[in-house]
Amino acid sequence: MWALEELGLDYEHVPLGGSYKGLDNPAYLALNPNGLVPTLQDGDLTVWESHATVRYLAAAYGAGTLWPQDVRERAIADQWTDWTATTYQPAWVKVFWSAVRTPVEQQDLVIIADGLAATGKCLAILDRQLDARPFLAGGSLTYADIVAGVSLYRWFTMEIERPAAPNVARWYERLSEREAFRKAVMVSYAELVGRLAF
Ligand SMILES: N[C@@H](CCC(=O)N[C@@H](CS)C(=O)NCC(=O)O)C(=O)O
């Protein structure tokens, strides 16, 4: 959604999952066999996996903006995208599930602490990268900032003890100035608090 907004594309959002349900609908499972969101349809193309959808939108519609033209800059954007999928996202999502989605009376402080420690390491890595540049791959927003930065609203608003990461905090401020980020990412997750399933 954030990538669509950044690119100024016309789109129709069909909300599914959570209180909207519909993920086990056979017509939806035919599009996305995982029964998860998001799924992107563009003409006769159907793509699932959020990072693949963002990368596709950037490549198709964001040449020179979200999609760096320089292959070396793109390698760096890919590096942060894959690192987000394999390392950063599992770490911060563990905190989100254990400290936000799990009802307080079921919370396990050891699991929360593990997630915070793993996320802290990732934030230190991000903080070093953002020390010398405003965005992950250089001077302007690319698809890497979208896949990694989409975590920041929840990270900075969850009721947890956050390790200091000043460059990450400035990156979040920079992203929060973007209308697309505010519209697509800074949205309430109140219905998820203390709720493991729908
Ligand atoms: N690796 C997948 C994960 C997809 C995923 O876990 N989606 C969640 C929402 S973030 C979902 O559909 N949950 C079921 C629900 O919301 O009911 C991706 O990045 O697209």
Side-chain angles (χ1 to χ4, degrees), residues 61-144:
Y61 302 106
T65 60
L66 293 185
W67 183 254
Q69 299 286 59
D70 176 7
V71 70
R72 297 167 72 94
E73 194 183 329
R74 215 157 62 229
I76 300 303
D78 264 342
Q79 166 194 284
W80 289 105
T81 300
D82 288 3
W83 175 82
T84 296
T86 57
T87 308
Y88 173 49
Q89 195 172 313
W92 85 263
V93 168
K94 185 172 184 176
V95 179
F96 188 69
W97 274 87
S98 59
V100 176
R101 294 210 55 170
T102 304
V104 173
E105 59 281 6
Q106 293 175 36
Q107 288 182 3
D108 182 332
L109 296 181
V110 174
I111 296 178
I112 296 174
D114 278 356
L116 282 171
T119 309
K121 281 186 192 169
C122 292
L123 292 174
I125 292 170
L126 281 168
D127 214 61
R128 278 198 294 279
Q129 177 70 2
L130 291 163
D131 192 32
R133 50 191 76 68
F135 296 99
L136 284 179
S140 61
L141 188 93
T142 69
Y143 58 91

Side-chain angles (χ1 to χ4, degrees), residues 19-75:
S19 55
Y20 294 99
K21 304 193 184 299
L23 294 176
D24 54 358
N25 178 327
Y28 186 69
L29 287 172
L31 297 175
N32 184 338
N34 303 288
L36 295 169
V37 290
T39 301
L40 174 74
Q41 290 185 282
D42 185 16
D44 61 3
L45 174 73
T46 300
V47 190
W48 42 265
E49 275 303 322
S50 53
H51 295 177
T53 65
V54 170
R55 207 178 333 224
Y56 164 73
L57 290 169
Y61 302 106
T65 60
L66 293 185
W67 183 254
Q69 299 286 59
D70 176 7
V71 70
R72 297 167 72 94
E73 194 183 329
R74 215 157 62 229

